[in-house]
Amino acid sequence: MAGKSPGPFPNCDWRFNEFPNPAAHALHVTCVELMALAVPGKDVGNALLNVVLKSQPLVPRENITAWMNAIGLVITALPEPYWIVLHDRIVSVLSSPALTSETESAGYPFALLDFTACHQSYSEMNCSYVLALTHAVWHHSSIGQLSLIPKFLSETLKPIVQTEFQLLYVYHLVGPFLQRFQQERTRCMLEIGVAFYEMLQAVDQQCQHLSYMDPICDFLYHIKYMYTGDSVKEQVEKIIMTLRPAMKLRLRFITHSSMIETSSSAAVAASTSSASTPSFPSAGTPQLPPSSLSSSNPAASPSSSSQHAHTPI
């Protein structure tokens, strides 16, 4: 228990105990005490999250990740009303000005979402804290708890995501857990993949300019070649066809039809440009017939015929 000696529990033979170790015993009694409180589970869950999100001066900075993991262990061991409040925190962060106003003052998004670097430089923000805490909670969640994420993405987050920063934030939230979804809940992995493209479609329609198309496309290609393959090809193909030409060009290898359409459009453009600018020969230059350019008649070059006659074999 945090390396303290003597520990908070008396020494005993844990092999014949109800709990396998002191940490499991401490987690159990903590959950029993929290559930015995005469307040709703939603208030208890928010209070647990506020230990890290609003009480940073009381938490040692060098142990912030340990505190986040402790909160993740406790809140995921409680019933759903206690840990579902984390979804409300994510929604509030996505609706915050830091992610809705894509201005220069918002900072580079990838540096903003790097919790370790921001924490070490004392420049962390609420969005980076919520991101790190969400990763800690979902890391300790069971697969049954994680199975609610596809519904959360499609029904709650998709109507909110309108900017490029919001899209990148959602990708940062769910990205570390794709491997687990692929191994334990393949259906959820496919639903998440489709939800990512639907959010990209909404952002593409709302934003006049996209600054991070290459990182977004790299992430989508990673999902295709590592997790989904062609399982969501039909749903994704319809979405890609509605994107702007620059994004469609980058995603042309996701589906075969997009690649064919891109190549055919390029061929049509090339033929149109060649037809619009014909090349005419000048009036003062005589033009030879095409047959004379490749003629093999010996009379056309008598010197070559005489040379061939004296060439040894």
Side-chain angles (χ1 to χ4, degrees), residues 87 90-91 138 148-158:
H87 292 181
I90 297 174
V91 172
W138 287 355
L148 298 179
I149 293 180
K151 182 180 178 180
F152 175 59
L153 290 177
S154 59
E155 297 183 2
T156 306
L157 296 187
K158 187 174 70 174

Side-chain angles (χ1 to χ4, degrees), residues 36-236:
L37 296 175
V39 292
K42 182 178 180 180
D43 297 340
V44 176
N46 282 318
L48 287 174
L49 299 180
N50 288 336
V51 172
V52 172
L53 298 179
K54 292 187 177 181
S55 303
Q56 295 94 340
L58 303 179
V59 178
R61 292 186 61 84
E62 63 275 8
N63 297 330
I64 185 66
T65 55
W67 281 72
M68 287 184 176
N69 280 290
I71 292 174
L73 283 169
V74 172
I75 203 170
T76 54
L78 293 169
E80 181 177 343
Y82 292 85
W83 56 264
I84 201 66
V85 295
L86 181 63
H87 292 181
D88 299 333
R89 298 299 181 98
I90 297 174
V91 172
S92 63
V93 168
L94 284 176
S95 304
S96 62
L99 299 179
T100 55
S101 58
E102 293 188 355
T103 59
E104 296 296 333
S105 60
Y108 190 67
F110 299 105
L112 179 67
L113 302 179
D114 188 352
F115 174 77
T116 302
C118 293
H119 188 71
Q120 292 176 353
S121 61
Y122 289 80
S123 60
E124 63 270 13
M125 297 178 62
N126 185 48
C127 56
S128 62
Y129 263 98
V130 173
L131 179 63
L133 183 59
T134 302
H135 286 168
V137 173
W138 287 355
H139 176 76
H140 296 289
S141 298
S142 64
I143 190 59
Q145 295 169 335
L146 289 179
S147 298
L148 298 179
I149 293 180
K151 182 180 178 180
F152 175 59
L153 290 177
S154 59
E155 297 183 2
T156 306
L157 296 187
K158 187 174 70 174
I160 301 175
V161 175
Q162 302 292 331
T163 65
E164 201 172 12
F165 284 4
Q166 290 176 323
L167 181 66
L168 293 173
Y169 192 84
V170 173
Y171 286 177
H172 276 74
L173 274 176
V174 189
F177 304 95
L178 296 179
Q179 180 70 27
R180 187 175 178 187
F181 277 116
Q182 195 268 339
Q183 293 178 350
E184 301 182 35
R185 288 290 189 277
T186 306
R187 176 183 55 83
C188 293
M189 179 66 248
L190 301 181
E191 294 177 359
I192 291 174
V194 175
F196 282 166
Y197 282 94
E198 293 174 348
M199 292 181 185
L200 174 62
Q201 183 183 28
V203 172
D204 182 77
Q205 295 174 355
Q206 293 293 329
C207 298
Q208 296 181 355
H209 177 70
L210 296 179
S211 304
Y212 306 100
M213 287 191 290
D214 290 336
I216 291 174
C217 294
D218 290 343
F219 181 67
L220 296 178
Y221 274 112
H222 173 73
I223 293 176
K224 171 182 171 59
Y225 292 117
M226 294 300 296
Y227 304 116
T228 60
D230 291 334
S231 301
V232 295
K233 176 183 176 182
E234 296 182 0
Q235 301 94 317
V236 166

Side-chain angles (χ1 to χ4, degrees), residues 16-52:
F16 306 102
N17 196 285
E18 180 182 0
F19 305 98
N21 49 56
H25 193 181
L27 179 62
H28 180 79
V29 298
T30 302
C31 292
V32 170
E33 292 179 359
L34 292 175
M35 294 175 65
L37 296 175
V39 292
K42 182 178 180 180
D43 297 340
V44 176
N46 282 318
L48 287 174
L49 299 180
N50 288 336
V51 172
V52 172

